[in-house]
Amino acid sequence: MQGGAAAIVMPLTLTLISQAFPAEKRGMAIGLWGGIAGTAVAMGPVVGGAITNGLDWQWIFWLNVPIGLVLVPLALRRLTESFGPRPRLDLLGLALAGAGFLGLTWGLVRANTVGWASAEVISSLLAGAALVAGFVAWQRRAPNPMVPLRLFRLRGFTTANGVSFFMYASLFGALFLMSQFLQIGLGNSPLAAGLWILPWTATPMLIAPVAGTLADRWGNRPFMAAGLALQAIGLGWVAAIADPGMGYAELSAALTVAGVGTSMCFPTVANAVMGSVPQQEAGVASGTNSAVRELGGVFGIAVLAAVFTGPAVYGSPDAFVDAFKPALWVGAGLAAVGIVSALLAPRHEGPHPVEASGSPARAADAQAVPQMVRTDQ
């Protein structure tokens, strides 16, 4: 229930922001959104570690209760309602996409437990891929498609989702193992591990708003590419120096580099997604990007865990570090792959042609001549 609720809330935050701010200020607004989200990410491991140390790990699920009690009445009072252009829900598309992504996720999550060659994993992945293919085929002829495939003909939308997939595959996979490294490899308590990881997780509070604001002037592409490069360098740095006896200073320097990179990419990839589609497709674009992000995270955790897994990896700090280092190199490699998608992105998203012409069909055509839609650059 908590996961489903989060899946509803998170994409709608970007939709509301894109509607509340004009295109020329959207990067700044999404940068602030990224900074606030970064604050939550930074506080999560610290608060979770304190609760785990002081009470028990199950108590972390109660944190959402007081937050919800405060925010629900505020949302009812302060948020402006909006409605999309399509009145009917694509129920068949929803079923195909949901079942397909469930199959892919199940196979990836279970692969390192029952084996990549097991019947369960192979059948889950094949069934998931087949259902996703069926979803794509249905979207081509559905009267009210859940995800209009013409959006993927927009270079900005496709490349931004590619960046998102590889960034979160690298980030989630590395974070999954890093929290264990800080406790098993370095012998920290859960609370101390949350404090040690702050140089990585706290940087969005400072960097994301700045990156979002500068992207309004310089475009999203350089920040996405540079951010992924720094994320890859930072994770590679940690992989190169990881040792059971390492100190806080040397680890925090490497984590700060990775965190700055993530912070540069986090708001600009969201800005690129929202700026690449017509205003009336903002909700669809945000929801699609959210699905891509989560699938990338599952993929990254599965791949890094597959590299990490081995006999007695939890037997001693040395054994853990020996398995941790090559896995983290793979995480750095995933970020580096994402740079290719970032470099293929449009240099700058101007005001979307649909907002001026009102014709979705002309949007795809205008992508081929982006210089014609730049009116303020």
Side-chain angles (χ1 to χ4, degrees), residues 20-107:
F21 289 84
E24 63 271 14
K25 293 184 178 180
R26 190 177 295 147
M28 176 271 296
I30 293 180
L32 292 174
W33 169 85
I36 293 169
T39 304
V41 171
M43 293 300 297
V46 178
V47 174
I51 290 174
T52 301
N53 274 10
L55 296 171
D56 206 344
W57 69 269
Q58 291 92 337
W59 282 87
I60 62 175
F61 295 104
W62 288 101
L63 285 176
N64 288 331
V65 175
I67 294 173
L69 292 176
V70 171
L71 291 183
V72 166
L74 286 175
L76 291 173
R77 286 189 59 189
R78 304 296 299 176
L79 295 183
T80 302
E81 188 57 271
S82 62
F83 297 91
R86 289 184 301 275
R88 293 185 180 180
L89 182 64
D90 179 13
L91 294 177
L92 179 57
L94 176 63
L96 289 170
F101 284 124
L102 174 62
L104 294 175
T105 302
W106 185 275

Side-chain angles (χ1 to χ4, degrees), residues 130-166:
L131 287 167
V132 170
F135 168 73
V136 173
W138 169 245
Q139 295 302 284
R140 292 181 179 276
R141 63 188 191 89
N144 295 293
M146 187 171 77
V147 180
L149 297 183
R150 56 182 166 75
L151 294 181
F152 289 95
R153 295 199 295 268
L154 305 176
R155 189 170 57 139
F157 182 77
T158 301
T159 54
N161 277 291
V163 170
S164 187
F165 179 89
F166 286 105

Side-chain angles (χ1 to χ4, degrees), residues 146-190:
M146 187 171 77
V147 180
L149 297 183
R150 56 182 166 75
L151 294 181
F152 289 95
R153 295 199 295 268
L154 305 176
R155 189 170 57 139
F157 182 77
T158 301
T159 54
N161 277 291
V163 170
S164 187
F165 179 89
F166 286 105
M167 180 187 72
Y168 283 100
S170 171
L171 177 63
F172 284 13
L175 187 59
F176 173 71
L177 291 178
M178 188 73 68
S179 60
Q180 298 180 62
F181 167 67
L182 292 171
Q183 296 177 70
I184 298 171
L186 300 184
N188 290 305
S189 67

Side-chain angles (χ1 to χ4, degrees), residues 226-254:
L228 284 169
L230 288 174
Q231 182 172 318
I233 291 170
L235 294 180
W237 187 354
V238 175
I241 65 174
D243 184 84
M246 72 185 309
Y248 174 78
E250 55 184 331
L251 178 62
S252 63

